[in-house]
Amino acid sequence: MDVDLRKLRYFVAVAEQLHFGRAAERLHIAQPVLSRQIRALEEELKAQLFVRDKRRTELTAAGEQLLADARPLLAAAEALRRRVGRAARGRDTFTVGFMPGLIVTTAVRALAQRHPELTVEVVRTTWDDQVEVIRDGRVDVGYVRLPVDQRGLRLRPLLTEPRVAVLPTEHRLAGKEVISIADLAEDHLLQPPDAVPEWRDLATELREGRRVPEPAFHSVEEKLEHVAAGQGVVVLPLSVASFYTRPDLTHATVRDIADNQVCLAWDSARRSPLIREFVAIAEG
């Protein structure tokens, strides 16, 4: 049986929204059309994907499995489309993704010098999309900060660096060069607790059940604005905190948490000589 990628996209939209109406709006199609397509997909797969009633829509076990498998499949299809499109337009390009705080100029310049006919581009990524841009073909390789979902990727460790707590200048710990994670137990962390498990295991607001979910930040700059406003603290790699230095913020090394690991990552299914060459350059 051939799986229809369009139906898979429709399915993922409903699975992410858990609402047929909102999914139809996102896809710019009529809701009855979307419902028919999902029913057709269920018939093709011989599995019920959703349980619906008047109040809610939920994924079945089969739906959960399909969602886990469909996302990387759609990303791979999009990556294929991008690469074929570039080839058809005669654009010989190589794109490198990089996270904030990382400088990739030396490796990028070295590859460009070796291949004058090649256009080498760079794309700044975020915690939310550093892996997504590899899977969907927007970048050929990416400098990523762990942890990431490593499924379908190859990773090559490059370096580690300490992490620091970024604080407003009026914070009680401001001025200290080194602190313990226990010193932040009373503070509100403007990150998911799992991002700093050492803090999660000590945090007073978690123990007392009064944690307010952190806002959905889209950049380092947004996080730092909230820190400067006194709404909480963040833990960042040292290079990131140093790059975004500003007069109303300070930072202190946290001595008893794990360092941040930086790796080079690429799609494990690709066999590109340019990827191998760039990895060798970056490691050197």
Side-chain angles (χ1 to χ4, degrees), residues 82-248:
R82 288 177 188 273
R83 290 194 293 270
V84 171
R86 286 199 297 264
R89 294 190 296 272
R91 293 185 59 200
D92 197 4
T93 65
F94 188 87
T95 306
V96 179
F98 67 98
M99 285 285 284
L102 300 177
I103 297 175
V104 301
T105 309
T106 301
V108 167
R109 183 178 294 165
L111 186 69
Q113 289 174 344
R114 292 187 185 188
H115 301 274
E117 77 290 351
L118 184 68
T119 300
V120 185
E121 300 175 344
V122 294
V123 172
R124 180 185 180 276
T125 61
T126 70
W127 283 106
D128 294 330
D129 68 3
Q130 60 175 332
V131 167
E132 179 184 334
V133 296
I134 299 170
R135 291 195 170 116
D136 69 15
R138 278 177 280 171
V139 307
D140 294 284
V141 298
Y143 287 77
V144 301
R145 293 189 182 276
L146 300 187
V148 298
D149 179 357
Q150 300 184 22
R151 289 177 296 178
L153 301 179
R154 290 192 65 187
L155 273 71
R156 192 67 55 84
L158 293 179
L159 60 96
T160 61
E161 60 174 314
R163 290 191 292 168
V164 301
V166 182
L167 317 163
T169 51
E170 66 273 13
H171 194 277
R172 68 186 185 281
L173 299 174
K176 292 183 177 293
E177 293 186 3
V178 181
I179 64 173
S180 165
I181 194 63
D183 294 330
L184 299 174
E186 300 294 327
D187 287 273
H188 175 59
L189 187 71
L190 291 166
Q191 292 163 280
D194 288 347
V196 190
E198 299 91 345
W199 176 88
R200 178 198 62 204
D201 296 340
L202 298 170
T204 301
E205 66 177 33
L206 291 177
R207 188 172 63 251
E208 296 180 352
R210 54 179 174 81
R211 177 173 172 80
V212 177
E214 66 280 350
F217 298 117
H218 302 290
S219 67
V220 175
E221 293 89 342
E222 289 181 14
K223 290 180 181 178
L224 297 183
E225 285 295 333
H226 282 74
V227 174
Q231 297 178 15
V233 301
V234 294
V235 175
L236 297 175
L238 175 59
S239 62
V240 179
S242 300
F243 184 83
Y244 288 97
T245 298
R246 44 188 286 177
D248 51 357

Side-chain angles (χ1 to χ4, degrees), residues 248-265:
D248 51 357
L249 296 176
T250 186
H251 63 261
T253 300
V254 186
R255 63 171 175 265
D256 51 353
I257 65 173
D259 287 349
N260 179 242
Q261 173 78 59
V262 176
C263 295
L264 202 61

Side-chain angles (χ1 to χ4, degrees), residues 44-71:
E44 291 170 8
L45 296 175
K46 296 180 173 56
Q48 184 178 358
L49 303 174
F50 296 99
V51 176
R52 297 175 67 182
D53 59 31
K54 293 182 179 179
R55 293 179 299 168
R56 63 184 183 274
T57 298
E58 295 181 346
L59 283 165
T60 63
E64 294 278 5
Q65 182 62 58
L66 181 60
L67 181 60
D69 291 336
R71 282 171 168 154

